[in-house]
mmCIF file of all heavy atoms in Angstrom:
data_model
loop_
_atom_site.group_PDB
_atom_site.id
_atom_site.type_symbol
_atom_site.label_atom_id
_atom_site.label_comp_id
_atom_site.label_asym_id
_atom_site.label_seq_id
_atom_site.Cartn_x
_atom_site.Cartn_y
_atom_site.Cartn_z
ATOM 1 N N SER W 429 -123.927 63.725 51.289
ATOM 2 C CA SER W 429 -124.986 63.054 52.041
ATOM 3 C C SER W 429 -126.000 62.431 51.105
ATOM 4 O O SER W 429 -126.270 62.958 50.031
ATOM 5 C CB SER W 429 -125.714 64.051 52.950
ATOM 6 O OG SER W 429 -124.797 64.788 53.704
ATOM 7 N N ARG W 462 -130.382 79.340 58.757
ATOM 8 C CA ARG W 462 -131.381 80.385 58.508
ATOM 9 C C ARG W 462 -132.565 79.831 57.730
ATOM 10 O O ARG W 462 -132.407 78.892 56.960
ATOM 11 C CB ARG W 462 -130.754 81.474 57.650
ATOM 12 C CG ARG W 462 -129.663 82.225 58.315
ATOM 13 C CD ARG W 462 -129.618 83.538 57.631
ATOM 14 N NE ARG W 462 -128.280 84.042 57.494
ATOM 15 C CZ ARG W 462 -127.981 85.033 56.671
ATOM 16 N NH1 ARG W 462 -128.915 85.534 55.895
ATOM 17 N NH2 ARG W 462 -126.757 85.489 56.618
ATOM 18 N N GLN W 476 -136.016 66.358 40.040
ATOM 19 C CA GLN W 476 -136.027 65.090 39.322
ATOM 20 C C GLN W 476 -136.108 65.378 37.829
ATOM 21 O O GLN W 476 -136.824 66.273 37.411
ATOM 22 C CB GLN W 476 -137.238 64.263 39.760
ATOM 23 C CG GLN W 476 -136.844 62.880 40.210
ATOM 24 C CD GLN W 476 -137.911 62.199 41.052
ATOM 25 O OE1 GLN W 476 -138.574 62.838 41.858
ATOM 26 N NE2 GLN W 476 -138.074 60.917 40.861
ATOM 27 N N VAL W 480 -139.524 68.007 34.038
ATOM 28 C CA VAL W 480 -139.610 69.123 33.090
ATOM 29 C C VAL W 480 -139.921 68.614 31.686
ATOM 30 O O VAL W 480 -139.760 67.443 31.367
ATOM 31 C CB VAL W 480 -138.318 69.969 33.056
ATOM 32 C CG1 VAL W 480 -137.873 70.330 34.429
ATOM 33 C CG2 VAL W 480 -137.233 69.257 32.303
ATOM 34 N N LEU W 579 -116.916 68.670 44.701
ATOM 35 C CA LEU W 579 -117.661 69.756 45.344
ATOM 36 C C LEU W 579 -117.601 69.604 46.859
ATOM 37 O O LEU W 579 -117.436 70.575 47.589
ATOM 38 C CB LEU W 579 -119.123 69.747 44.875
ATOM 39 C CG LEU W 579 -119.322 70.039 43.390
ATOM 40 C CD1 LEU W 579 -120.769 69.804 42.990
ATOM 41 C CD2 LEU W 579 -118.914 71.463 43.069
#
Side-chain angles (χ1 to χ4, degrees):
Chain W
S429 310
R462 294 205 216 165
Q476 233 162 322
V480 311
L579 295 172

